[in-house]
């Protein structure tokens, strides 16, 4: 009789083969609706997904939404259906704690470009926020960076912040907005893309977009106060181990890891986690996560360029901050931000809001942003 470990090994081979070939989850009706309402443009043979909505009549202002890691632009749609099911929706309750109510308010404004967090794609932004922005701006635009959401996810490929910034510029040209002043609103990974766009604008680089204002939120603006999650560190520097881990990645580990950067009373629902995971798995996006994560090393390498752009700009600058963020922790991050960028205004949300302020407190986030927009 063969040794037991040989039999286990023989049995494990086909089981592992099946596991590695599990197809991605099917798109939910909400994801299908979001995709069908958008379109694609081509950047160097890569298909980039975007959505462009016409909003306020009589305004010429434009807002472009750019997302962060590891999600996508779909958050603009998804959260409205999950969080806002009644006129006075509430956050997910926690045992023994009273959950705060959310009330949405709108205001008037200018063009804005929103940049979101890495790999969360475009759905990092609440649909209620999207609706609020359409009441303020003439056009509201969002895209999935290459490697995210419904955009192409080539491999092997050298993903970089520079490329993502060029894609934003390409979209602006594609939509005929090259001479339109754009307001940028960014989150996490998107903050760094916004910093590169700002650098190009300040140095009059050919093809740069005209930036009217910049609003950042919970991003690794300063490498010295940015604390990536343990799995991110392994994936970005794991060498031959990284592609093995990305292939073994599943919904359970994804949701557990992502949930750790949300506040305890503002956790996404299971349906929301599944939509996020589905967006990552679309076009085998889980297999390029390690390549995309090189942006963390790029932040360190180009720190002077990107922080310098913020320090030298005359563009109106604002920060919306969730103080419970373990990635950019309070008070360390905020103290450095105020020291380095004293000309910037700051909105600090409630103490229980963490790394995803636009999802965890869409009302507070929207109001803070519109107050900034209406201040100049």
């Amino acid at each position: 009789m063969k040794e037991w470990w040989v039999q286990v090994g023989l049995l494990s081979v086909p089981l592992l083969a099946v596991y590695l070939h599990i197809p991605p989850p099917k798109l939910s009706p909400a994801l299908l609706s979001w995709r069908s309402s958008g379109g694609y443009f081509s950047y160097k043979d890569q298909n980039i997904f975007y959505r462009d909505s016409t909003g306020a009549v009589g305004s010429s202002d434009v807002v472009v939404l750019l997302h962060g890691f590891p999600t996508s632009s779909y958050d603009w749609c998804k959260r409205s259906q999950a969080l806002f099911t009644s006129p006075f929706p509430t956050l997910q309750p926690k045992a023994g704690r009273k959950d705060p109510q959310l009330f949405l308010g709108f205001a008037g404004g200018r063009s804005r470009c929103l940049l979101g967090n890495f790999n969360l794609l475009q759905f990092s932004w609440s649909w209620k926020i999207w609706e609020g922005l359409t009441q303020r701006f003439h056009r509201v635009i969002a895209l999935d960076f290459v490697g995210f959401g419904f955009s192409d996810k080539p491999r092997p490929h050298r993903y970089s912040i520079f490329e993502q910034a060029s894609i934003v510029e390409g979209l602006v040209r594609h939509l005929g907005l090259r001479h339109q002043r754009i307001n940028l609103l960014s989150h996490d990974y998107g903050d760094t893309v916004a910093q590169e766009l700002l650098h190009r604008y300040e140095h009059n680089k050919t093809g740069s977009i005209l930036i009217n204002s910049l609003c950042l939120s919970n991003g690794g603006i300063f490498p010295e106060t940015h604390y990536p999650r343990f799995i991110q560190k392994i994936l970005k520097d794991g060498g031959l181990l990284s592609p093995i881990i990305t292939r073994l990645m599943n919904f359970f580990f994804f949701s557990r890891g992502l949930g750790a950067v949300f506040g305890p009373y503002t956790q996404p629902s299971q349906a929301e986690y599944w939509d996020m995971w589905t967006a990552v798995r679309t076009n085998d996006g889980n297999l390029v996560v390690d390549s995309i994560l090189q942006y963390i090393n790029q932040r360190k390498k180009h720190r002077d360029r990107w922080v310098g752009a913020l320090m030298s700009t005359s563009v109106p600058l604002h920060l919306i901050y969730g103080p419970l963020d373990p990635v950019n922790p309070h008070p360390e991050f905020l103290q450095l931000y105020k020291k380095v960028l004293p000309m910037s205004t700051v909105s600090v949300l409630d103490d229980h809001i963490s790394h995803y302020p636009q999802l965890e407190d869409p009302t507070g986030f929207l109001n803070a942003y519109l107050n900034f927009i209406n201040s100049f």
Side-chain angles (χ1 to χ4, degrees):
M1 182 176 180
K2 296 181 179 178
E3 295 289 344
W4 66 270
W5 55 269
V6 175
Q7 298 182 44
V8 171
L10 292 174
L11 180 62
S12 299
V13 171
L15 290 177
L16 180 61
V18 171
Y19 175 82
L20 293 177
H21 289 84
I22 294 176
K26 291 184 178 180
L27 301 185
S28 68
L31 275 173
L32 284 169
S33 176
W34 180 257
R35 187 178 66 177
S36 65
S37 65
Y40 291 86
F41 85 102
S42 180
Y43 175 82
K44 294 185 177 179
D45 298 324
Q46 305 294 344
N47 293 314
I48 305 300
F49 176 82
Y50 72 94
R51 177 165 180 171
D52 180 7
S53 292
T54 301
V57 177
S59 171
S60 61
D61 297 334
V62 179
V63 54
V64 180
L65 316 176
L66 307 174
H67 66 84
F69 178 90
T71 46
S72 77
S73 63
Y74 168 64
D75 279 354
W76 296 104
C77 170
K78 177 177 65 69
R79 292 294 283 199
S80 71
Q81 297 178 349
L83 278 180
F84 296 86
T85 56
S86 69
F88 301 103
T90 58
L91 296 171
Q92 279 192 309
K94 195 75 172 179
R97 301 307 274 290
K98 185 178 180 180
D99 47 326
Q101 289 188 321
L102 301 180
F103 299 89
L104 184 64
F106 302 111
R110 296 189 179 196
S111 341
R112 300 294 176 270
C113 176
L114 307 162
L115 308 177
N117 179 21
F118 167 41
N119 241 23
L120 278 178
L121 312 153
Q122 295 168 338
F123 55 64
S124 301
W125 307 94
S126 165
W127 184 242
K128 284 294 183 181
I129 292 180
W130 185 281
E131 291 177 348
L133 292 172
T134 60
Q135 294 191 19
R136 173 60 179 82
F137 300 103
H138 176 58
R139 290 172 75 174
V140 180
I141 301 164
L143 77 153
D144 289 340
F145 294 124
V146 65
F148 296 81
F150 296 128
S151 292
D152 283 353
K153 300 169 180 176
R155 55 186 175 92
H157 186 76
R158 297 189 66 176
Y159 290 90
S160 75
I161 294 297
F162 299 100
E163 178 184 40
Q164 306 291 18
S166 295
I167 288 172
V168 176
E169 293 172 342
L171 176 61
V172 169
R173 289 194 300 271
H174 173 76
L175 297 176
L177 300 172
R178 183 176 179 181
H179 302 293
Q180 172 76 43
R181 298 196 69 83
I182 302 294
N183 299 276
L184 304 177
L185 173 57
S186 60
H187 175 237
D188 186 68
Y189 181 81
D191 282 356
T192 310
V193 178
Q195 288 172 263
E196 172 58 22
L197 289 168
L198 185 64
H199 173 86
R200 297 181 185 186
Y201 168 70
E202 294 291 351
H203 289 80
N204 297 314
K205 298 291 186 181
T206 302
S208 62
I209 64 175
L210 302 178
I211 300 176
N212 190 58
S213 70
L214 171 58
C215 180
L216 308 160
S217 61
N218 286 79
I221 300 167
F222 309 109
E224 58 268 40
T225 60
H226 179 248
Y227 297 90
R229 311 307 292 172
F230 178 68
I231 186 63
Q232 291 180 319
K233 295 178 181 179
I234 293 177
L235 287 173
K236 76 180 181 69
D237 298 322
L240 296 176
L241 184 62
S242 296
I244 298 175
I245 296 175
T246 58
R247 288 185 176 276
L248 295 176
M249 190 182 301
N250 58 37
F251 172 77
F252 174 78
F253 291 108
F254 172 81
S255 58
R256 287 289 296 272
L258 191 58
V261 298
F262 279 80
Y265 315 120
T266 54
Q267 290 285 307
S269 67
Q270 282 295 106
E272 291 168 337
Y273 277 130
W274 272 109
D275 278 345
M276 294 176 183
W277 175 238
T278 300
V280 171
R281 282 295 315 274
T282 298
N283 297 329
D284 293 326
N286 57 302
L287 302 182
V288 302
V289 168
D290 56 330
S291 299
I292 294 175
L293 277 167
Q294 296 308 309
Y295 79 91
I296 296 175
N297 295 330
Q298 292 166 24
R299 279 175 173 169
K300 295 178 180 179
K301 181 178 180 180
H302 302 288
R303 195 252 188 215
D304 291 345
R305 176 188 180 99
W306 291 336
V307 174
L310 297 174
M311 295 174 64
S312 62
T313 188
S314 59
V315 166
L317 187 63
H318 189 66
L319 170 72
I320 302 176
Y321 181 61
L324 199 60
D325 187 358
V327 182
N328 305 285
H330 183 275
E332 181 182 359
F333 167 80
L334 194 58
Q335 288 175 348
L336 181 60
Y337 184 91
K338 291 181 176 180
K339 178 181 179 181
V340 175
L341 304 171
M343 69 293 204
S344 173
T345 52
V346 176
S347 296
V348 180
L349 301 182
D350 291 343
D351 291 345
H352 67 276
I353 304 303
S354 187
H355 186 64
Y356 279 93
Q358 76 278 32
L359 291 180
E360 299 177 61
D361 184 6
T363 302
F365 188 91
L366 177 62
N367 288 337
Y369 181 64
L370 292 180
N371 287 337
F372 162 62
I373 289 307
N374 293 329
S375 68
F376 60 89

